[in-house]
Amino acid sequence: MISLLALTSLMLTLVAPMAPGSGELPAPAAAAPARAEAPLVPAKPSDITAPQSRFTSDRIVVEVRSPRPGTTDQPVRDVILIPGLASTALVWEPVAERLSRTHRVHLVSVRGFGELAAGGNGQGLVAGPVADEVARYIRTRGLQNPAIIGHSMGGQIALRLASAPGVTLDRVMIVDAAPFFPSLIDDRATGRDLEPIAVVAYQAVLFLGDEALARQPWAQGMGPTAGALDSWVGWQGGDSRVLAQSLYEVMTVDLRPNLARIDVPVTVVYGWSRREDSPRYRLQLSWQQAYRGSRHPVRLVPIEGAEHMVMIDQPVRFMAAVDEFLGNP
């Protein structure tokens, strides 16, 4: 959330010279409350095809990596990795390389992030339809109780999946994401409170455009991650329309009501600092409050020395948390 706030602040600063109320930029698609979303239809036996069936989508792209034949004598379990806002599956590269030795890894990328064309995400809502497509992928590929690891916006998508009827998961790991991000700063905040700021942030992203959003200076506020952006990870930009709508939804959609419907183990991993002057230190209690409506106790795992991009900032500690989450020896 710290990086999200920094990004929003940066955009608001740059967009300040714009004349208020110009009306030249379109308004974001208003996200319906979490409870009002159309429920996913439970899969029927006839809907589930062979694990290698073809899957195409105008919302997501999925890459599958499996262990080499003969390299493991254990049953191969499925793990789905979902990246956050303005990131593609590349942020999971070291994690995927390690897990694919023993697990079947499904790397999800959201169309409109990075260099992927916007596809169906170019109009209307993003996060809800993307979650629906991941659910359809699970059914189409016949995945049995996959584990899901989602970062930031991807973590919120994982929460949507875990609380949706007709989707059976094994366990869920949420990486530096809250069901309602603003609640980390103020537990009394509502989506309506954030609406004016979210609309300005939405318009700021559109105003900046695709090219500006892809430049490395937008890594400001990402902490140690900024150095990693010199290569191929972190903030990768994308289609400004998809980025604007996604940011708006992350700031305004409250998924806390979904927590009571989640009946699988949930682990929340987040960046933490022992320095008392660090915002990360002060957010410690906020993470507990963010998930207090959960049906079952949530396991909180602070990763010291990490900011928002936990898997990049502290890869060794993060991988240890993943191994423990999956029960890997």
Side-chain angles (χ1 to χ4, degrees):
M1 181 56 185
I2 298 302
S3 62
L4 179 62
L5 290 175
L7 174 62
T8 303
S9 176
L10 181 60
M11 290 177 175
L12 292 177
T13 299
L14 290 177
V15 80
M18 294 175 59
S22 62
E24 295 183 2
L25 295 175
R35 291 185 180 275
E37 291 180 1
L40 297 171
V41 179
K44 300 177 183 178
S46 59
D47 293 332
I48 300 178
T49 55
Q52 296 303 316
S53 61
R54 181 176 175 80
F55 176 86
T56 58
S57 171
D58 67 346
R59 297 272 184 182
I60 62 174
V61 174
V62 186
E63 176 192 353
V64 181
R65 299 187 191 178
S66 302
R68 292 195 300 270
T71 57
T72 178
D73 56 0
Q74 300 295 322
V76 178
R77 295 183 294 164
D78 294 290
V79 181
I80 300 174
L81 304 180
I82 308 176
L85 178 68
S87 297
T88 69
L90 285 173
V91 297
W92 297 116
E93 185 59 33
V95 177
E97 193 280 328
R98 166 81 175 276
L99 286 181
S100 62
R101 302 172 192 173
T102 54
H103 294 71
R104 186 181 301 108
V105 179
H106 306 261
L107 289 154
V108 174
S109 290
V110 176
R111 292 191 182 276
F113 292 171
E115 297 182 357
L116 292 173
N121 295 328
Q123 295 181 344
L125 302 177
V126 176
V130 165
D132 290 347
E133 281 298 88
V134 177
R136 186 172 71 86
Y137 175 81
I138 292 172
R139 295 195 299 267
T140 300
R141 296 298 301 266
L143 305 187
Q144 301 297 314
N145 302 321
I148 292 188
I149 302 176
H151 170 250
S152 193
M153 175 180 161
Q156 291 189 329
I157 290 172
L159 289 176
R160 290 174 183 264
L161 289 165
S163 61
V167 179
T168 303
L169 306 177
D170 179 56
R171 61 195 70 187
V172 174
M173 174 182 277
I174 309 298
V175 183
D176 216 69
F180 184 51
F181 274 113
S183 70
L184 292 176
I185 305 302
D186 186 347
D187 190 47
R188 299 165 299 177
T190 67
R192 182 171 296 180
D193 295 333
L194 269 290
E195 176 75 15
I197 300 175
V199 169
V200 175
Y202 172 92
Q203 293 179 338
V205 174
L206 292 183
F207 176 77
L208 291 168
D210 300 354
E211 183 178 353
L213 290 167
R215 294 173 185 164
Q216 291 180 4
W218 298 105
Q220 294 182 36
M222 299 293 278
T225 306
L229 289 174
D230 289 338
S231 53
W232 40 262
V233 293
W235 176 269
Q236 296 170 266
D239 182 282
S240 59
R241 164 68 186 94
V242 181
L243 295 178
Q245 178 63 33
S246 298
L247 178 59
Y248 172 83
E249 293 177 23
V250 164
M251 295 176 70
T252 59
V253 175
D254 189 346
L255 297 174
R256 286 177 293 185
N258 294 41
L259 297 177
R261 302 199 298 271
I262 298 177
D263 201 26
V264 297
V266 175
T267 297
V268 180
V269 175
Y270 57 93
W272 180 74
S273 172
R274 66 176 62 250
R275 290 174 44 200
E276 296 186 9
D277 62 342
S278 167
R280 285 280 165 178
Y281 177 88
R282 295 193 292 271
L283 284 178
Q284 182 72 9
L285 291 178
S286 297
W287 289 106
Q288 297 176 12
Q289 294 175 349
Y291 287 90
R292 66 185 176 190
S294 300
R295 185 172 182 177
H296 303 290
V298 169
R299 183 168 180 266
L300 299 174
V301 181
I303 302 292
E304 185 175 358
E307 295 286 334
H308 187 54
M309 303 296 290
V310 183
M311 59 284 203
I312 300 172
D313 296 338
Q314 293 292 335
V316 175
R317 292 176 178 174
F318 178 75
M319 198 65 228
V322 170
D323 285 336
E324 185 173 1
F325 162 72
L326 292 173
N328 296 337

